[in-house]
Amino acid sequence: QVQLVESGGGLVQPGGSLRLSCAASGRIYSISDMGWYRQALGNERELVATITSRGSTNYEGSVKGRFTISRDNAKNTVYLQMDSLKPEDTAVYYCNAHIWSPFYPAGDDYWGQGTQVTVSS
């Protein structure tokens, strides 16, 4: 069974920084796209950033220039460095990855459990 485990969330003051990590484990053949999404209380889940297996990135407009997505393919891990955090960044952040595995050889999307990020004074 494939599992995505997230870490790095917490409470920070406005202007602070956090780095989120998401590691894929289990029997994995390969991983293509990986990304981060977030969902504020009462709101829809929205895209934050994505990164392809070749390193191409895409960012939601409000985080561009403040957040940086990266990945370590040897560790099956994706990161989100968050700088200059604002209160409106407060949300549960979810890792996503498209993974080929014995469980689903044709490939499928997997989601992490979510990690809370709170930006407040």
Side-chain angles (χ1 to χ4, degrees):
Q1 299 282 357
V2 174
Q3 185 177 25
L4 300 181
V5 179
E6 304 177 25
S7 62
L11 190 153
V12 295
Q13 294 184 349
S17 297
L18 285 174
R19 191 175 84 145
L20 306 183
S21 298
C22 175
S25 63
R27 292 201 62 194
I28 297 171
Y29 292 152
S30 64
I31 303 175
S32 57
D33 294 351
M34 305 184 81
W36 291 94
Y37 296 73
R38 66 187 180 187
Q39 186 169 14
L41 186 63
N43 291 346
E44 299 285 336
R45 186 173 299 186
E46 67 176 358
L47 170 72
V48 177
T50 59
I51 184 168
T52 70
S53 61
R54 300 183 66 180
S56 296
T57 58
N58 180 261
Y59 296 92
E60 189 273 327
S62 68
V63 310
K64 191 173 181 63
R66 299 187 298 120
F67 292 8
T68 303
I69 188 171
S70 61
R71 64 191 289 169
D72 186 335
N73 291 330
K75 297 180 179 180
N76 289 333
T77 300
V78 63
Y79 306 94
L80 186 68
Q81 177 67 43
M82 303 184 292
D83 299 320
S84 301
L85 283 162
K86 304 175 180 179
E88 51 263 44
D89 295 318
T90 296
V92 177
Y93 284 69
Y94 295 91
C95 173
N96 171 266
H98 192 82
I99 301 174
W100 283 262
S101 72
F103 181 74
Y104 196 170
D108 197 14
D109 280 353
Y110 293 84
W111 292 89
Q113 81 282 2
T115 184
Q116 177 71 49
V117 172
T118 302
V119 185
S120 176
S121 298

